[in-house]
Amino acid sequence: MIAKKRTIPLKILILTALLRRLPKNHIKRPQILVELSRRIAGFKGEESFDFYLNSLDEKKYMIIHDLNLPDGKYNCQIDTLLLSSNYALIIEIKNMAGKLIFDTDNDQFIQIVNGSEKGYADPIAQAERQKEYFKKLFPTLIVDYLIVFTNPHSILSFIGKNTQIKQRVCKSHSFLKKIEVFKKIYTDEILTSKDLRKVSRTLIKMNTPPTAYIFEKYGIKKSELITGIHCPNCSFLPLVREKRKWFCPSCQTFSKDAHLYGLQDYFLLFNSKITNEEFRKFTSCKSSNIAYKLLLMCDLNNSGTNKGRTYFPNTLPLENLEK
């Protein structure tokens, strides 16, 4: 059963929105572009891995994709979490080419492509930290992890005395074999179906856009961002309100629902909720009545009354944009 389906990861959405709203000459743009490109490649690998996940017995496993869990000022991000009555499995998915070397004696992870050697953060150490995080959340839960490489042409190599690492690393095509191994290791049932649903709901409720973490990572302040509604066609901003539509001066097009895309940027970058006044300030909309009607069109949750009413989404990305 898929408890949280795979959509475009929140970090990709945040980085994309950030690039859209940073000034073109901002010093951090090249670094953000590099990270965005890497994460898009990773997401393509995650999508290809779903072929193997779909082979699992949906009655025995609960699958949660793209979890972003708050960890102080940091972020615990998990590509895919597999829950069963016997154990929880953290799955880190990597889409990398070349020769990939795990040096367990020095806790190093090295990639060699076309003779060029580059070091990366050790995915084993990352998964170990995620495992410890989960153990603090759910002390009775048995947690393990698996690093899955999706590029069919990559070559895995292991150096060092720690031979146990091989048990936690595989290529996509070996994933189902690894699951059979875990089934033999963890035979005791520790969670009921009710427990599984409870754990799943707790994690999904905790899922939070890692905006603060990304802002701190790049040293960016919200005051540096450009506000306004952007054009869904060419990304120009800000659009102007004309004839009950949004008009783009750049590509000369009109849009009825461009504010939906603007609101997604707002919820990803500025705040998880918005008032009528904040909407008007963000969009440069002068009429509170028009703002009220536009917010109602967005199918958002709301709480409070009159000027104190706030609007907030069920989930990100906004469901309206996926249809």
Side-chain angles (χ1 to χ4, degrees):
M1 173 185 174
I2 298 179
K4 182 178 181 294
K5 65 180 181 178
R6 194 183 302 286
T7 58
I8 299 174
L10 285 173
K11 282 188 178 178
I12 289 180
L13 293 174
I14 292 170
L15 292 170
T16 302
L18 194 55
L19 285 169
R20 184 159 44 235
R21 294 185 178 276
L22 275 178
K24 298 299 181 184
N25 61 348
H26 197 283
I27 192 172
K28 297 295 183 178
R29 286 187 69 90
Q31 292 175 251
I32 297 171
L33 279 167
V34 170
E35 180 174 354
L36 178 60
S37 177
R38 178 173 59 83
R39 291 197 175 278
I40 289 173
F43 179 52
K44 290 179 180 178
E46 292 170 22
E47 289 184 306
S48 69
F49 179 60
D50 286 345
F51 171 80
Y52 299 96
L53 284 173
N54 290 338
S55 299
L56 295 174
D57 187 343
E58 62 178 20
K59 294 180 180 179
K60 293 183 179 181
Y61 297 97
M62 188 171 286
I63 302 172
I64 306 175
H65 294 301
D66 189 33
L67 275 174
N68 289 270
L69 307 175
D71 186 13
K73 65 178 182 179
Y74 299 103
N75 171 253
C76 179
Q77 191 272 331
I78 294 171
D79 296 331
T80 295
L81 181 70
L82 205 62
L83 291 173
S84 75
S85 58
N86 307 85
Y87 69 105
L89 185 66
I90 295 167
I91 306 176
E92 278 299 302
I93 306 166
K94 305 293 182 183
N95 184 11
M96 302 178 73
K99 187 174 183 178
L100 308 171
I101 304 171
F102 286 86
D103 181 352
T104 60
D105 288 346
N106 299 296
D107 295 325
Q108 292 187 125
F109 177 59
I110 303 162
Q111 179 190 42
I112 302 176
V113 179
N114 298 325
S116 179
E117 187 173 288
K118 186 175 182 181
Y120 288 91
D122 182 10
I124 296 295
Q126 177 187 358
E128 287 283 358
R129 288 193 297 271
Q130 293 169 340
K131 177 180 175 180
E132 290 305 311
Y133 179 90
F134 264 82
K135 292 296 290 182
K136 291 178 183 177
L137 284 180
F138 308 102
T140 60
L141 195 63
I142 293 176
V143 184
D144 214 321
Y145 60 84
L146 190 63
I147 315 297
V148 179
F149 290 89
T150 60
N151 190 313
H153 305 296
S154 62
I155 300 172
L156 302 181
S157 178
F158 300 87
I159 300 174
K161 301 174 184 177
N162 189 351
T163 57
Q164 296 298 315
I165 293 301
K166 291 183 179 181
Q167 306 303 318
R168 302 293 183 274
V169 180
C170 72
K171 301 285 283 293
S172 294
H173 62 265
S174 299
F175 169 71
L176 295 177
K177 291 182 181 179
K178 290 290 186 181
I179 290 297
E180 291 302 314
V181 173
F182 284 120
K183 284 169 64 176
K184 293 177 181 178
I185 295 174
Y186 303 115
T187 57
D188 294 335
E189 186 172 300
I190 59 173
L191 296 177
T192 65
S193 297
K194 184 178 179 180
D195 293 331
L196 278 175
R197 290 192 295 270
K198 184 178 180 180
V199 170
S200 175
R201 285 195 301 268
T202 299
L203 290 171
I204 293 173
K205 189 175 181 179
M206 288 177 63
N207 193 54
T208 307
T211 307
Y213 166 76
I214 291 175
F215 274 34
E216 183 164 336
K217 178 181 179 179
Y218 289 106
I220 294 172
K221 298 178 180 178
K222 292 180 183 180
S223 58
E224 299 178 68
L225 306 184
I226 302 168
T227 58
I229 300 300
H230 66 275
C231 177
N233 186 46
C234 70
S235 292
F236 175 87
L237 63 83
L239 302 186
V240 294
R241 189 75 181 166
E242 287 186 10
K243 302 175 182 178
R244 299 184 179 181
K245 295 180 181 179
W246 298 101
F247 175 68
C248 177
S250 177
C251 64
Q252 303 289 302
T253 58
F254 284 91
S255 172
K256 290 182 179 180
D257 58 2
H259 54 283
L260 283 172
Y261 298 87
L263 274 174
Q264 172 149 292
D265 279 9
Y266 183 91
F267 292 133
L268 287 168
L269 299 175
F270 293 92
N271 204 334
S272 59
K273 55 186 179 180
I274 192 169
T275 63
N276 185 298
E277 182 181 358
E278 289 166 340
F279 179 84
R280 282 181 280 130
K281 183 178 179 181
F282 180 71
T283 63
S284 297
C285 176
K286 296 179 181 179
S287 169
S288 60
N289 188 47
I290 291 175
Y292 172 72
K293 291 179 180 178
L294 289 173
L295 285 166
L296 283 184
M297 287 170 54
C298 297
D299 194 28
L300 299 169
N301 293 327
N302 68 81
S303 64
T305 57
N306 301 325
K307 291 184 178 181
R309 178 174 291 157
T310 59
Y311 302 83
F312 51 95
N314 283 310
T315 183
L316 289 171
L318 292 178
E319 294 176 347
N320 317 61
L321 301 184
E322 292 193 300
K323 295 176 182 178

